[in-house]
Amino acid sequence: MEFCILMKKKKPLFITIEGGEGSGKTTQSLFLKEYFEQKGYEVLLTREPGGTGLAETIRRILLTSNLNIVPLSELFLYEAARAQHIKEVVLPALRSGKAIICDRFTDSTVAYQCYGRKLDLNLINKLNLAASFGLTPTLTIYLDITPAKGLLNKAKGINKKSYGEIGDRFERESIQFHNNVREGYLSQAEKYPNRIKIVKTQKRPEHTQILMRKIVDMVL
Ligand SMILES: Nc1ncnc2c1ncn2[C@@H]1O[C@H](COP(=O)(O)OP(=O)(O)OP(=O)(O)O)[C@@H](O)[C@H]1O
Ligand SMILES: [Mg+2]
């Protein structure tokens, strides 16, 4: 008698982590990667803008250059980086059955370029759809923090080992800008309650991670 042992195939997952400056996206994405690996997934941890040679080059222009970039150019640069990243990295990884954790995605574009920079939402939605080739996240976790606390986290991180990047163009924006970005995220979460789950960041990163893992277990 022959026995056929069927390995339970893992469902491909595309999870995005969103939040304002210093909300802990990068820190929490790394913890979440460990959690999915414990569950037996092969995990790809990636970020936007970034994840490919072209997109990382665009990231440097967007975040750390001193170039003058008007809002519409900024939007196109983000979308160009996204198209490259999705086509070159994310779609092939999904096809090979990996779980993908992506630090920022299309909700960042709505929050920053629409609510922050005041560009037209319809235009942004169209470009987001095109640049992501219609791919929608399985789950999005939005890390909610007040801009004052988030920016303080980043400032404190300057003198210690940090996973984040220091001194980027958005950190130099006003508190009002960051409040608008937060409003953008909250309105996206209200609009897409099934996809976007809000996690209030906790004093200790480990406690934030516990909340995220509960959501993962509940939703997926
Ligand atoms: N809950 C927390 N309390 C205090 N400090 C935190 C917390 N979470 C993260 N940090 C620290 O805040 C800084 C920013 O965290 P992290 O780089 O993970 O945030 P981020 O959302 O990825 O930021 P960025 O906007 O730069 O991408 C780091 O120095 C990190 O160690
Ligand atoms: Mg980060």
Side-chain angles (χ1 to χ4, degrees):
M1 194 173 151
E2 263 184 51
F3 288 94
C4 178
I5 300 167
L6 287 174
M7 293 277 290
K8 202 176 159 208
K9 199 164 171 7
K10 298 278 181 197
K11 182 173 95 177
L13 296 174
F14 179 46
I15 298 161
T16 60
I17 310 297
E18 295 281 4
E21 307 303 310
S23 53
K25 299 176 296 299
T26 307
T27 311
Q28 296 301 332
S29 300
L30 280 160
F31 290 160
L32 202 60
K33 177 176 188 275
E34 283 171 21
Y35 189 53
F36 276 100
E37 282 170 349
Q38 284 164 23
K39 286 173 173 284
Y41 279 91
E42 208 181 317
V43 182
L44 172 75
L45 179 58
T46 186
R47 66 177 181 181
E48 281 207 350
T52 78
L54 174 65
E56 289 290 337
T57 303
I58 294 174
R59 181 186 183 92
R60 281 196 294 279
I61 294 170
L62 280 166
L63 298 181
T64 52
S65 82
N66 288 318
L67 298 168
N68 177 35
I69 305 173
V70 298
L72 197 57
S73 308
E74 183 180 273
L75 172 63
F76 290 145
L77 285 168
Y78 274 108
E79 300 295 2
R82 175 163 302 136
Q84 193 68 30
H85 180 230
I86 296 296
K87 191 87 174 177
E88 192 181 322
V89 175
V90 174
L91 290 175
L94 274 177
R95 276 196 291 272
S96 73
K98 286 186 186 153
I100 295 159
I101 300 174
C102 189
D103 184 339
R104 292 196 183 278
F105 190 52
T106 45
D107 298 302
S108 283
T109 319
V110 172
Y112 283 74
Q113 276 67 50
C114 174
Y115 284 76
R117 301 288 194 223
K118 309 294 178 198
L119 292 175
D120 179 61
L121 182 59
N122 286 329
L123 172 67
I124 291 173
N125 283 338
K126 274 187 195 153
L127 292 175
N128 275 349
L129 187 69
S132 52
F133 299 88
L135 180 68
T136 310
T138 325
L139 167 70
T140 297
I141 294 177
Y142 164 58
L143 296 171
D144 189 45
I145 194 167
T146 63
K149 273 192 200 155
L151 292 167
L152 189 68
N153 279 347
K154 288 200 79 163
K156 281 188 194 158
I158 290 173
N159 294 317
K160 65 171 188 169
K161 191 171 170 284
S162 164
Y163 295 114
E165 281 165 325
I166 309 298
D168 72 35
R169 283 173 59 241
F170 290 102
E171 281 168 61
R172 299 194 289 268
E173 290 292 339
S174 66
I175 279 283
Q176 183 59 53
F177 176 88
H178 293 290
N179 282 335
N180 293 343
V181 168
R182 185 182 185 202
E183 195 197 320
Y185 275 127
L186 290 170
S187 83
Q188 282 289 96
E190 204 175 319
K191 208 163 158 186
Y192 304 104
N194 290 333
R195 173 175 65 84
I196 306 178
K197 304 296 173 196
I198 303 174
V199 168
K200 290 217 171 294
T201 58
Q202 305 295 302
K203 242 193 160 73
R204 293 171 63 98
E206 306 89 283
H207 293 163
T208 305
Q209 182 64 199
I210 290 170
L211 297 178
M212 289 172 68
R213 290 179 181 191
K214 272 191 188 149
I215 287 173
V216 162
D217 288 341
M218 239 162 27
V219 173
L220 301 179

PDB file of all heavy atoms in Angstrom, residues 82-108:
ATOM      1  N   ARG A  82       7.291  51.696  -7.564  1.00  0.00           N
ATOM      2  CA  ARG A  82       6.321  50.631  -7.254  1.00  0.00           C
ATOM      3  C   ARG A  82       6.175  49.660  -8.420  1.00  0.00           C
ATOM      4  O   ARG A  82       6.204  48.440  -8.211  1.00  0.00           O
ATOM      5  CB  ARG A  82       4.961  51.264  -6.909  1.00  0.00           C
ATOM      6  CG  ARG A  82       3.852  50.253  -6.691  1.00  0.00           C
ATOM      7  CD  ARG A  82       2.680  50.872  -5.956  1.00  0.00           C
ATOM      8  NE  ARG A  82       3.128  51.397  -4.680  1.00  0.00           N
ATOM      9  CZ  ARG A  82       2.777  52.575  -4.176  1.00  0.00           C
ATOM     10  NH1 ARG A  82       1.939  53.344  -4.821  1.00  0.00           N
ATOM     11  NH2 ARG A  82       3.247  52.964  -3.013  1.00  0.00           N
ATOM     12  N   ALA A  83       5.994  50.178  -9.624  1.00  0.00           N
ATOM     13  CA  ALA A  83       5.798  49.300 -10.787  1.00  0.00           C
ATOM     14  C   ALA A  83       6.976  48.326 -10.921  1.00  0.00           C
ATOM     15  O   ALA A  83       6.796  47.128 -11.138  1.00  0.00           O
ATOM     16  CB  ALA A  83       5.648  50.140 -12.054  1.00  0.00           C
ATOM     17  N   GLN A  84       8.179  48.855 -10.762  1.00  0.00           N
ATOM     18  CA  GLN A  84       9.376  48.025 -10.894  1.00  0.00           C
ATOM     19  C   GLN A  84       9.423  46.950  -9.799  1.00  0.00           C
ATOM     20  O   GLN A  84       9.705  45.779 -10.058  1.00  0.00           O
ATOM     21  CB  GLN A  84      10.620  48.929 -10.808  1.00  0.00           C
ATOM     22  CG  GLN A  84      11.893  48.240 -11.236  1.00  0.00           C
ATOM     23  CD  GLN A  84      11.916  47.921 -12.725  1.00  0.00           C
ATOM     24  OE1 GLN A  84      11.315  48.647 -13.523  1.00  0.00           O
ATOM     25  NE2 GLN A  84      12.591  46.846 -13.076  1.00  0.00           N
ATOM     26  N   HIS A  85       9.133  47.369  -8.579  1.00  0.00           N
ATOM     27  CA  HIS A  85       9.177  46.472  -7.425  1.00  0.00           C
ATOM     28  C   HIS A  85       8.137  45.352  -7.538  1.00  0.00           C
ATOM     29  O   HIS A  85       8.428  44.182  -7.289  1.00  0.00           O
ATOM     30  CB  HIS A  85       8.925  47.326  -6.166  1.00  0.00           C
ATOM     31  CG  HIS A  85       8.939  46.567  -4.888  1.00  0.00           C
ATOM     32  ND1 HIS A  85       7.932  46.672  -3.960  1.00  0.00           N
ATOM     33  CD2 HIS A  85       9.834  45.704  -4.353  1.00  0.00           C
ATOM     34  CE1 HIS A  85       8.219  45.910  -2.924  1.00  0.00           C
ATOM     35  NE2 HIS A  85       9.365  45.307  -3.131  1.00  0.00           N
ATOM     36  N   ILE A  86       6.926  45.724  -7.933  1.00  0.00           N
ATOM     37  CA  ILE A  86       5.856  44.722  -8.016  1.00  0.00           C
ATOM     38  C   ILE A  86       6.165  43.707  -9.119  1.00  0.00           C
ATOM     39  O   ILE A  86       6.080  42.501  -8.915  1.00  0.00           O
ATOM     40  CB  ILE A  86       4.475  45.399  -8.248  1.00  0.00           C
ATOM     41  CG1 ILE A  86       4.101  46.267  -7.048  1.00  0.00           C
ATOM     42  CG2 ILE A  86       3.392  44.359  -8.530  1.00  0.00           C
ATOM     43  CD1 ILE A  86       3.902  45.526  -5.750  1.00  0.00           C
ATOM     44  N   LYS A  87       6.553  44.238 -10.281  1.00  0.00           N
ATOM     45  CA  LYS A  87       6.801  43.357 -11.428  1.00  0.00           C
ATOM     46  C   LYS A  87       8.044  42.487 -11.213  1.00  0.00           C
ATOM     47  O   LYS A  87       8.046  41.298 -11.504  1.00  0.00           O
ATOM     48  CB  LYS A  87       6.992  44.233 -12.678  1.00  0.00           C
ATOM     49  CG  LYS A  87       6.991  43.485 -13.969  1.00  0.00           C
ATOM     50  CD  LYS A  87       5.587  43.334 -14.486  1.00  0.00           C
ATOM     51  CE  LYS A  87       5.552  42.720 -15.866  1.00  0.00           C
ATOM     52  NZ  LYS A  87       4.190  42.520 -16.305  1.00  0.00           N
ATOM     53  N   GLU A  88       9.109  43.111 -10.712  1.00  0.00           N
ATOM     54  CA  GLU A  88      10.397  42.404 -10.640  1.00  0.00           C
ATOM     55  C   GLU A  88      10.505  41.503  -9.404  1.00  0.00           C
ATOM     56  O   GLU A  88      11.148  40.462  -9.451  1.00  0.00           O
ATOM     57  CB  GLU A  88      11.520  43.466 -10.626  1.00  0.00           C
ATOM     58  CG  GLU A  88      12.909  42.912 -10.840  1.00  0.00           C
ATOM     59  CD  GLU A  88      13.972  44.014 -10.795  1.00  0.00           C
ATOM     60  OE1 GLU A  88      13.718  45.141 -11.300  1.00  0.00           O
ATOM     61  OE2 GLU A  88      15.053  43.756 -10.242  1.00  0.00           O
ATOM     62  N   VAL A  89       9.881  41.905  -8.314  1.00  0.00           N
ATOM     63  CA  VAL A  89      10.101  41.183  -7.049  1.00  0.00           C
ATOM     64  C   VAL A  89       8.829  40.551  -6.471  1.00  0.00           C
ATOM     65  O   VAL A  89       8.804  39.360  -6.176  1.00  0.00           O
ATOM     66  CB  VAL A  89      10.722  42.157  -5.998  1.00  0.00           C
ATOM     67  CG1 VAL A  89      10.869  41.494  -4.640  1.00  0.00           C
ATOM     68  CG2 VAL A  89      12.061  42.669  -6.488  1.00  0.00           C
ATOM     69  N   VAL A  90       7.793  41.362  -6.303  1.00  0.00           N
ATOM     70  CA  VAL A  90       6.643  40.889  -5.520  1.00  0.00           C
ATOM     71  C   VAL A  90       5.843  39.809  -6.261  1.00  0.00           C
ATOM     72  O   VAL A  90       5.572  38.748  -5.691  1.00  0.00           O
ATOM     73  CB  VAL A  90       5.737  42.076  -5.107  1.00  0.00           C
ATOM     74  CG1 VAL A  90       4.470  41.593  -4.416  1.00  0.00           C
ATOM     75  CG2 VAL A  90       6.508  43.023  -4.181  1.00  0.00           C
ATOM     76  N   LEU A  91       5.495  40.053  -7.523  1.00  0.00           N
ATOM     77  CA  LEU A  91       4.679  39.064  -8.242  1.00  0.00           C
ATOM     78  C   LEU A  91       5.407  37.719  -8.384  1.00  0.00           C
ATOM     79  O   LEU A  91       4.814  36.670  -8.103  1.00  0.00           O
ATOM     80  CB  LEU A  91       4.208  39.614  -9.600  1.00  0.00           C
ATOM     81  CG  LEU A  91       3.153  40.736  -9.496  1.00  0.00           C
ATOM     82  CD1 LEU A  91       2.823  41.312 -10.876  1.00  0.00           C
ATOM     83  CD2 LEU A  91       1.870  40.243  -8.825  1.00  0.00           C
ATOM     84  N   PRO A  92       6.708  37.725  -8.776  1.00  0.00           N
ATOM     85  CA  PRO A  92       7.406  36.426  -8.844  1.00  0.00           C
ATOM     86  C   PRO A  92       7.457  35.718  -7.483  1.00  0.00           C
ATOM     87  O   PRO A  92       7.277  34.496  -7.405  1.00  0.00           O
ATOM     88  CB  PRO A  92       8.822  36.798  -9.314  1.00  0.00           C
ATOM     89  CG  PRO A  92       8.659  38.111 -10.019  1.00  0.00           C
ATOM     90  CD  PRO A  92       7.544  38.819  -9.319  1.00  0.00           C
ATOM     91  N   ALA A  93       7.659  36.467  -6.411  1.00  0.00           N
ATOM     92  CA  ALA A  93       7.722  35.848  -5.073  1.00  0.00           C
ATOM     93  C   ALA A  93       6.367  35.266  -4.686  1.00  0.00           C
ATOM     94  O   ALA A  93       6.291  34.180  -4.105  1.00  0.00           O
ATOM     95  CB  ALA A  93       8.189  36.874  -4.041  1.00  0.00           C
ATOM     96  N   LEU A  94       5.305  35.979  -5.031  1.00  0.00           N
ATOM     97  CA  LEU A  94       3.960  35.457  -4.732  1.00  0.00           C
ATOM     98  C   LEU A  94       3.704  34.165  -5.502  1.00  0.00           C
ATOM     99  O   LEU A  94       3.170  33.208  -4.953  1.00  0.00           O
ATOM    100  CB  LEU A  94       2.897  36.485  -5.136  1.00  0.00           C
ATOM    101  CG  LEU A  94       2.536  37.557  -4.113  1.00  0.00           C
ATOM    102  CD1 LEU A  94       1.533  38.529  -4.702  1.00  0.00           C
ATOM    103  CD2 LEU A  94       1.970  36.945  -2.829  1.00  0.00           C
ATOM    104  N   ARG A  95       4.136  34.152  -6.766  1.00  0.00           N
ATOM    105  CA  ARG A  95       3.941  32.949  -7.588  1.00  0.00           C
ATOM    106  C   ARG A  95       4.699  31.758  -7.030  1.00  0.00           C
ATOM    107  O   ARG A  95       4.293  30.622  -7.182  1.00  0.00           O
ATOM    108  CB  ARG A  95       4.367  33.216  -9.040  1.00  0.00           C
ATOM    109  CG  ARG A  95       3.269  33.886  -9.864  1.00  0.00           C
ATOM    110  CD  ARG A  95       3.540  33.802 -11.356  1.00  0.00           C
ATOM    111  NE  ARG A  95       4.671  34.624 -11.746  1.00  0.00           N
ATOM    112  CZ  ARG A  95       4.584  35.914 -12.083  1.00  0.00           C
ATOM    113  NH1 ARG A  95       3.416  36.513 -12.082  1.00  0.00           N
ATOM    114  NH2 ARG A  95       5.651  36.597 -12.412  1.00  0.00           N
ATOM    115  N   SER A  96       5.826  32.041  -6.368  1.00  0.00           N
ATOM    116  CA  SER A  96       6.589  30.916  -5.813  1.00  0.00           C
ATOM    117  C   SER A  96       6.098  30.550  -4.408  1.00  0.00           C
ATOM    118  O   SER A  96       6.719  29.748  -3.718  1.00  0.00           O
ATOM    119  CB  SER A  96       8.091  31.234  -5.824  1.00  0.00           C
ATOM    120  OG  SER A  96       8.376  32.171  -4.825  1.00  0.00           O
ATOM    121  N   GLY A  97       4.993  31.136  -3.982  1.00  0.00           N
ATOM    122  CA  GLY A  97       4.339  30.715  -2.734  1.00  0.00           C
ATOM    123  C   GLY A  97       4.885  31.348  -1.463  1.00  0.00           C
ATOM    124  O   GLY A  97       4.635  30.857  -0.369  1.00  0.00           O
ATOM    125  N   LYS A  98       5.635  32.428  -1.615  1.00  0.00           N
ATOM    126  CA  LYS A  98       6.194  33.069  -0.417  1.00  0.00           C
ATOM    127  C   LYS A  98       5.178  33.968   0.265  1.00  0.00           C
ATOM    128  O   LYS A  98       4.220  34.425  -0.352  1.00  0.00           O
ATOM    129  CB  LYS A  98       7.391  33.929  -0.812  1.00  0.00           C
ATOM    130  CG  LYS A  98       8.619  33.105  -1.139  1.00  0.00           C
ATOM    131  CD  LYS A  98       9.806  33.979  -1.387  1.00  0.00           C
ATOM    132  CE  LYS A  98      10.961  33.109  -1.854  1.00  0.00           C
ATOM    133  NZ  LYS A  98      11.918  33.781  -2.673  1.00  0.00           N
ATOM    134  N   ALA A  99       5.429  34.226   1.536  1.00  0.00           N
ATOM    135  CA  ALA A  99       4.687  35.270   2.238  1.00  0.00           C
ATOM    136  C   ALA A  99       5.524  36.537   2.103  1.00  0.00           C
ATOM    137  O   ALA A  99       6.729  36.521   2.355  1.00  0.00           O
ATOM    138  CB  ALA A  99       4.517  34.904   3.701  1.00  0.00           C
ATOM    139  N   ILE A 100       4.886  37.601   1.672  1.00  0.00           N
ATOM    140  CA  ILE A 100       5.624  38.852   1.480  1.00  0.00           C
ATOM    141  C   ILE A 100       5.183  39.857   2.531  1.00  0.00           C
ATOM    142  O   ILE A 100       3.984  40.082   2.731  1.00  0.00           O
ATOM    143  CB  ILE A 100       5.375  39.407   0.069  1.00  0.00           C
ATOM    144  CG1 ILE A 100       5.962  38.420  -0.936  1.00  0.00           C
ATOM    145  CG2 ILE A 100       6.008  40.788  -0.114  1.00  0.00           C
ATOM    146  CD1 ILE A 100       5.404  38.551  -2.282  1.00  0.00           C
ATOM    147  N   ILE A 101       6.163  40.436   3.192  1.00  0.00           N
ATOM    148  CA  ILE A 101       5.874  41.520   4.135  1.00  0.00           C
ATOM    149  C   ILE A 101       6.502  42.770   3.544  1.00  0.00           C
ATOM    150  O   ILE A 101       7.708  42.815   3.301  1.00  0.00           O
ATOM    151  CB  ILE A 101       6.449  41.226   5.531  1.00  0.00           C
ATOM    152  CG1 ILE A 101       5.831  39.938   6.087  1.00  0.00           C
ATOM    153  CG2 ILE A 101       6.194  42.407   6.478  1.00  0.00           C
ATOM    154  CD1 ILE A 101       6.445  39.473   7.395  1.00  0.00           C
ATOM    155  N   CYS A 102       5.670  43.753   3.279  1.00  0.00           N
ATOM    156  CA  CYS A 102       6.159  44.952   2.603  1.00  0.00           C
ATOM    157  C   CYS A 102       5.984  46.175   3.503  1.00  0.00           C
ATOM    158  O   CYS A 102       4.873  46.492   3.935  1.00  0.00           O
ATOM    159  CB  CYS A 102       5.421  45.115   1.275  1.00  0.00           C
ATOM    160  SG  CYS A 102       6.118  46.405   0.252  1.00  0.00           S
ATOM    161  N   ASP A 103       7.106  46.835   3.779  1.00  0.00           N
ATOM    162  CA  ASP A 103       7.156  48.035   4.616  1.00  0.00           C
ATOM    163  C   ASP A 103       6.739  49.220   3.730  1.00  0.00           C
ATOM    164  O   ASP A 103       7.518  49.644   2.892  1.00  0.00           O
ATOM    165  CB  ASP A 103       8.626  48.138   5.091  1.00  0.00           C
ATOM    166  CG  ASP A 103       8.920  49.265   6.056  1.00  0.00           C
ATOM    167  OD1 ASP A 103       8.149  50.234   6.115  1.00  0.00           O
ATOM    168  OD2 ASP A 103       9.970  49.181   6.732  1.00  0.00           O
ATOM    169  N   ARG A 104       5.513  49.653   3.859  1.00  0.00           N
ATOM    170  CA  ARG A 104       4.823  50.687   3.064  1.00  0.00           C
ATOM    171  C   ARG A 104       4.350  50.145   1.712  1.00  0.00           C
ATOM    172  O   ARG A 104       5.016  49.337   1.067  1.00  0.00           O
ATOM    173  CB  ARG A 104       5.697  51.916   2.793  1.00  0.00           C
ATOM    174  CG  ARG A 104       6.025  52.753   4.022  1.00  0.00           C
ATOM    175  CD  ARG A 104       6.553  54.117   3.581  1.00  0.00           C
ATOM    176  NE  ARG A 104       6.953  54.970   4.694  1.00  0.00           N
ATOM    177  CZ  ARG A 104       6.126  55.713   5.422  1.00  0.00           C
ATOM    178  NH1 ARG A 104       4.839  55.686   5.168  1.00  0.00           N
ATOM    179  NH2 ARG A 104       6.582  56.465   6.396  1.00  0.00           N
ATOM    180  N   PHE A 105       3.177  50.662   1.291  1.00  0.00           N
ATOM    181  CA  PHE A 105       2.629  50.338  -0.038  1.00  0.00           C
ATOM    182  C   PHE A 105       1.662  51.441  -0.432  1.00  0.00           C
ATOM    183  O   PHE A 105       1.860  52.603  -0.029  1.00  0.00           O
ATOM    184  CB  PHE A 105       1.970  48.930   0.003  1.00  0.00           C
ATOM    185  CG  PHE A 105       1.583  48.360  -1.332  1.00  0.00           C
ATOM    186  CD1 PHE A 105       2.489  48.285  -2.371  1.00  0.00           C
ATOM    187  CD2 PHE A 105       0.287  47.889  -1.555  1.00  0.00           C
ATOM    188  CE1 PHE A 105       2.132  47.761  -3.609  1.00  0.00           C
ATOM    189  CE2 PHE A 105      -0.089  47.356  -2.781  1.00  0.00           C
ATOM    190  CZ  PHE A 105       0.841  47.289  -3.803  1.00  0.00           C
ATOM    191  N   THR A 106       0.612  51.118  -1.186  1.00  0.00           N
ATOM    192  CA  THR A 106      -0.247  52.155  -1.787  1.00  0.00           C
ATOM    193  C   THR A 106      -0.937  53.077  -0.779  1.00  0.00           C
ATOM    194  O   THR A 106      -1.215  54.228  -1.108  1.00  0.00           O
ATOM    195  CB  THR A 106      -1.348  51.485  -2.641  1.00  0.00           C
ATOM    196  OG1 THR A 106      -1.903  50.386  -1.906  1.00  0.00           O
ATOM    197  CG2 THR A 106      -0.782  50.955  -3.946  1.00  0.00           C
ATOM    198  N   ASP A 107      -1.221  52.586   0.440  1.00  0.00           N
ATOM    199  CA  ASP A 107      -1.869  53.471   1.422  1.00  0.00           C
ATOM    200  C   ASP A 107      -0.945  54.626   1.815  1.00  0.00           C
ATOM    201  O   ASP A 107      -1.422  55.708   2.157  1.00  0.00           O
ATOM    202  CB  ASP A 107      -2.289  52.678   2.668  1.00  0.00           C
ATOM    203  CG  ASP A 107      -3.307  51.604   2.318  1.00  0.00           C
ATOM    204  OD1 ASP A 107      -4.376  51.955   1.777  1.00  0.00           O
ATOM    205  OD2 ASP A 107      -3.015  50.412   2.544  1.00  0.00           O
ATOM    206  N   SER A 108       0.369  54.393   1.758  1.00  0.00           N
ATOM    207  CA  SER A 108       1.317  55.483   2.016  1.00  0.00           C
ATOM    208  C   SER A 108       1.145  56.581   0.977  1.00  0.00           C
ATOM    209  O   SER A 108       1.226  57.767   1.297  1.00  0.00           O
ATOM    210  CB  SER A 108       2.772  54.991   1.933  1.00  0.00           C
ATOM    211  OG  SER A 108       3.138  54.284   3.083  1.00  0.00           O
TER     212      SER A 108
END
